[in-house]
């Protein structure tokens, strides 16, 4: 047989999904594993969102829709962007995709030519590099200052004539850190000076604890060169709905639209009606979940510190990023095999020596997980 694609052979499996699959398998075998490996809210999707989707199904919204998204959702998104993220946006600058991940992939396809360099700030979420690679681009890694978890001028050294795009993710998965205005401004100035595109993944914008979320596209003229990524999975506990979106200049949306038309066609029609209800409906459900995450965050960071672990600043998202002694892969294996706590090793995020614990789990499970980690060390 002829060999399969070299491009895909060079892509690694998603570590977050692989570890979660392993934990699920152990659970199916009857082992009482506490899963802190995957970033997924443990709350049910709020009722009014589910109801809107069921209504849409009953109304017969079960056919193809406009491929960029139903007009009601495109305008709900553009209104939200203008209102909350503070940069100009029209419905023509929005595309709805099957999850933020799909939007990220389409954006990479739309922007990158073969060999174009994309700067990924590490520690970084697992899917940026594969999306860049699959689109034919080249990932260039830049480590965020590990003391401050902010950016400094060292970033400027990564740019050369092949650089095309910078990917920013604040609040960050996996560290939980939030970039302040100075870090965001550094990226904005760099992109404007060197004529670069930016991708700003803001999917955790609502999970923020005492810090301000800054949208990259709201700085200077950045809206002209930024693809803002967001979605419903985290803020509205809608991971399984596979609903996300990108906001960008019309020319970029036009190219992403071609990728979408020839691959997924569109996001699921009735799921998009749930998205309208999420954005247009009462937002108190988002605040309730944020408050609950905040409680858990304080508990888990307190426990980890009491055990002597150093952690990254847990200012956003729902991850504790923990410094461990020795090999993070070995520590994560020990926690899983001996303590039955599933966590993701930092190596998956280009950060050996760290472990990511998702605190999107019940307080009861978090208490038990902390006791187990204390026991197995
Ligand atoms: N970006 C980040 C940083 C994430 O953690 C996730 C979680 N899967 C995504 C994007 C993708 O989210 P989804 O595809 O579920 O919208
Ligand atoms: N984003 C979540 C995580 O990092 C979900 C899994 C994934 O899509 O990577 O765990």
């Amino acid at each position: 047989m002829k060999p399969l694609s070299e491009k895909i052979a060079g892509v690694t499996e998603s570590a977050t999904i692989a570890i979660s699959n392993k934990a699920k398998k152990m659970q199916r075998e009857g082992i009482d594993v506490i899963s802190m490996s995957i970033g997924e809210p443990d709350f049910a999707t709020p009722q009014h969102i589910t109801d809107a989707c069921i209504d849409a199904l009953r109304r017969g919204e079960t056919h193809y829709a406009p491929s960029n998204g139903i007009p009601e959702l495109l305008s709900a998104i553009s209104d939200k962007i203008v209102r909350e993220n503070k940069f100009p946006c029209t419905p023509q600058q929005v595309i709805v995709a099957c999850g933020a991940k799909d939007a990220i992939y389409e954006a990479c396809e739309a922007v990158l030519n073969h060999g174009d360099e994309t700067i990924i700030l590490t520690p970084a979420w697992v899917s940026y590099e594969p999306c860049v690679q699959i689109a034919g681009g080249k990932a260039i890694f830049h480590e965020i200052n590990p003391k401050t978890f902010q950016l400094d001028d060292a970033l400027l050294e990564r740019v050369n004539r092949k650089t095309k795009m910078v990917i920013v993710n604040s609040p960050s998965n996996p560290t939980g850190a939030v970039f302040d205005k100075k870090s965001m401004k550094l990226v904005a100035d760099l992109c404007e000076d060197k004529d670069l595109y930016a991708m700003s993944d803001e999917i955790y914008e609502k999970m923020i604890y005492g810090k301000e979320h800054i949208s990259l596209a709201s700085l200077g003229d950045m809206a002209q060169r930024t693809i803002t990524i967001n979605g419903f999975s985290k803020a509205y506990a809608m991971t399984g709905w596979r609903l996300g979106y990108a906001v960008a200049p019309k020319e970029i949306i036009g190219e992403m639209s071609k990728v979408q038309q020839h691959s997924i066609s569109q996001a699921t029609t009735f799921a998009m009606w749930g998205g309208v209800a999420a954005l247009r409906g009462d937002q108190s459900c988002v605040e309730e979940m944020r408050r609950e995450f905040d409680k858990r965050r304080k508990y888990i960071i307190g426990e980890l510190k009491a055990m002597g672990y150093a952690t990254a600043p847990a200012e956003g998202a729902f991850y504790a990023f923990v410094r461990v002694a020795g090999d993070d892969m070995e520590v994560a294996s020990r926690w899983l095999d001996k303590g039955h706590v599933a966590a993701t090793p930092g190596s998956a995020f280009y950060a050996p020596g760290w472990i990511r614990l998702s605190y999107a789990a019940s307080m009861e499970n978090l208490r038990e997980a902390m006791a187990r980690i204390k026991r197995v060390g």
Side-chain angles (χ1 to χ4, degrees):
M1 298 267 260
K2 290 187 178 164
L4 299 175
S5 158
E6 277 171 28
K7 189 171 73 175
I8 302 300
V11 171
T12 46
E13 195 185 355
S14 167
T16 47
I17 293 180
I19 291 157
S20 153
N21 286 347
K22 182 170 175 194
K24 284 200 179 103
K25 186 168 172 274
M26 288 171 76
Q27 282 164 343
R28 270 198 307 276
E29 287 162 2
I31 303 167
D32 166 32
V33 173
I34 298 177
S35 179
M36 298 180 76
S37 60
I38 195 135
E40 167 162 48
D42 56 319
F43 303 108
T45 302
Q47 178 89 41
H48 67 282
I49 300 175
T50 313
D51 286 346
C53 175
I54 294 169
D55 287 348
L57 272 166
R58 295 225 161 91
R59 266 199 323 272
E61 303 279 0
T62 53
H63 296 97
Y64 288 137
S67 66
N68 282 13
I70 53 173
E72 290 80 355
L73 185 53
L74 299 180
S75 65
I77 292 168
S78 61
D79 288 353
K80 180 247 177 237
I81 291 286
V82 172
R83 191 176 62 242
E84 294 182 1
N85 304 95
K86 310 262 184 296
F87 62 93
C89 178
T90 63
Q92 292 73 38
Q93 288 170 262
V94 181
I95 187 163
V96 179
C98 288
K101 198 182 275 182
D102 185 31
I104 292 165
Y105 168 67
E106 288 180 4
C108 290
E109 288 286 11
V111 170
L112 300 175
N113 280 318
H114 185 76
D116 280 348
E117 294 188 0
T118 295
I119 299 175
I120 296 177
L121 306 172
T122 62
W125 177 51
V126 296
S127 290
Y128 299 130
E129 182 191 9
C131 287
V132 166
Q133 266 179 309
I134 295 170
K138 184 168 176 212
I140 302 294
F141 297 101
H142 174 74
E143 192 189 1
I144 296 165
N145 185 322
K147 290 200 180 78
T148 60
F149 286 86
Q150 298 293 328
L151 294 173
D152 51 39
D153 286 348
L155 172 65
L156 313 186
E157 286 157 30
R158 299 286 172 212
V159 180
N160 62 48
R161 58 185 180 75
K162 288 193 196 146
T163 314
K164 188 85 167 273
M165 184 161 75
V166 182
I167 301 182
V168 180
N169 171 221
S170 174
S172 158
N173 177 4
T175 67
V178 172
F179 279 155
D180 58 22
K181 186 116 186 216
K182 201 164 150 234
S183 291
M184 282 298 199
K185 186 95 184 17
L186 196 122
V187 177
D189 290 347
L190 177 68
C191 291
E192 287 182 352
D193 275 6
K194 303 286 180 188
D195 188 21
L196 308 178
Y197 291 98
M199 187 192 291
S200 181
D201 181 348
E202 304 185 8
I203 195 153
Y204 293 101
E205 67 171 340
K206 302 282 182 189
M207 271 120 227
I208 193 158
Y209 316 103
K211 283 205 82 174
E212 186 200 359
H213 171 69
I214 297 161
S215 287
L216 189 60
S218 70
L219 302 179
D221 289 330
M222 282 304 285
Q224 293 172 17
R225 52 178 76 251
T226 304
I227 304 150
T228 302
I229 303 288
N230 212 324
F232 298 83
S233 288
K234 317 288 168 171
Y236 300 96
M238 290 170 69
T239 44
W241 293 59
R242 310 309 305 128
L243 203 60
Y245 58 89
V247 173
K250 269 190 254 170
E251 303 68 38
I252 300 179
I253 295 296
E255 298 305 279
M256 290 174 69
S257 183
K258 288 194 251 171
V259 179
Q260 176 142 302
Q261 285 169 22
H262 292 298
S263 52
I264 60 160
S265 294
Q266 53 157 107
T268 303
T269 306
F270 42 87
M272 288 196 270
W273 284 102
V276 175
L279 291 180
R280 294 277 190 216
D282 184 2
Q283 300 300 301
S284 54
C285 54
V286 180
E287 178 55 14
E288 273 163 34
M289 290 189 268
R290 190 199 68 83
R291 271 207 217 120
E292 187 56 39
F293 286 133
D294 193 17
K295 247 196 269 168
R296 299 169 183 187
R297 172 184 77 100
K298 287 180 180 140
Y299 167 74
I300 188 176
I301 296 293
E303 287 294 305
L304 289 164
K305 290 224 158 103
M307 282 188 243
Y309 289 108
T311 58
E315 303 161 329
F318 35 57
Y319 304 110
F321 205 51
V322 191
R323 194 94 178 95
V324 290
D327 183 333
D328 53 298
M329 306 286 264
E330 274 171 27
V331 177
S333 295
R334 184 167 72 240
W335 287 3
L336 181 57
D337 297 333
K338 296 214 173 105
H340 297 165
V341 175
T344 313
S347 299
F349 308 106
Y350 317 91
W354 294 81
I355 284 192
R356 188 191 78 172
L357 284 169
S358 164
Y359 53 83
S362 68
M363 273 306 261
E364 192 192 341
N365 277 351
L366 292 183
R367 279 203 191 91
E368 177 60 23
M370 290 300 104
R372 291 183 187 185
I373 288 174
K374 208 180 278 175
R375 204 165 56 234
V376 300

